[in-house]
Amino acid sequence: MSKLLIETNDGVRTLTFNRPETKNAFDAELWGLFRDELNSASDDPSIYSLIVTGSSNTFSSGVDLTSMIGVGGNEYEVPFETCIDALINFQKPLIGAVDGAAVGGGATILLHFDAVFISPNAKIKYPFSDLGLAPEVGSSFLLFQALGYQKAAQLLFESNSIDGSSYFELGLAKYVGEDFLDQAIEYANELKDQSLASIMETKSILKSFAKDDLIQARNLETKAMKKLFGSEDNLKAVEKFFAKKSN
């Protein structure tokens, strides 16, 4: 079965991360599939908006660390970076429908969405200090922009999970409730009553205000990640992480 399920209904396309055995963790293949579908939906005139969700009551547990061990890590960077480029450049309404875990990359990608609908039971986590790594995907800037310095710093320093209700209260989600997916679909259909051309131009303008800051953030994050990845601190943190998972 495909790692990314695709369904289209009357101009609304839904992508479902589908690696339930890993809690929908991203390996190189899934990043590549997600990238290709973002680009396809962005260019397809029959698609009005895109909903992204996860199978088995889980959004995504983030990077599949086991897939990055050894030579697997060499295959990871290009699909990851090109997927984030596609995410940032997606021209149409991008809607998240989130349940269960949204960790690491599963959490940071949501900061690029136009609207997030979330279950109160969802668990959002930015685990970078747990892993001895730096933030990614421009999340350092996007959290700073959305929340201010202190709240962004606390979320990133502490690596604590926050539930869907808390995520909503931070202003990072449009809706919180058990019917999050139904509400996301309803919202996508409501937007079809508006001019797509207008929405696309407005989205482009809004994103232009932070374009340079986002580029700088990604560059700084990449530099920090390369500095930390494979360091003694990182290796100890990852060992501790896997020890926790096995208990």
Side-chain angles (χ1 to χ4, degrees), residues 17 19 24-27 30-31 34 60 62-64 67 76 105-106 109:
F17 302 136
R19 297 188 70 211
N24 300 327
F26 287 99
D27 60 2
L30 183 53
W31 282 121
F34 188 29
S60 171
V63 171
D64 184 353
S67 75
Y76 188 87
I109 62 172

Side-chain angles (χ1 to χ4, degrees), residues 46 62 66 78 82 107 126-127 159 179 238:
S46 71
T66 58
V78 171
T82 54
Y126 306 100
S159 290
D179 58 343
V238 171

Side-chain angles (χ1 to χ4, degrees), residues 107-143:
T108 56
I109 62 172
L110 292 172
L111 299 170
H112 293 277
F113 284 43
D114 302 307
V116 174
F117 293 73
I118 195 166
S119 163
N121 301 315
K123 297 295 182 184
I124 311 295
K125 183 178 175 71
Y126 306 100
F128 307 108
S129 66
D130 274 349
L131 298 172
L133 295 173
E136 61 184 1
V137 193
S139 58
S140 55
F141 167 70
L142 294 172
L143 286 170

Side-chain angles (χ1 to χ4, degrees), residues 28 31 68 72-84 222 226:
W31 282 121
M68 294 184 67
N74 297 328
E75 302 171 354
Y76 188 87
E77 185 171 357
V78 171
F80 169 70
E81 293 292 348
T82 54
C83 183
I84 302 311
T222 298
K226 288 179 177 178

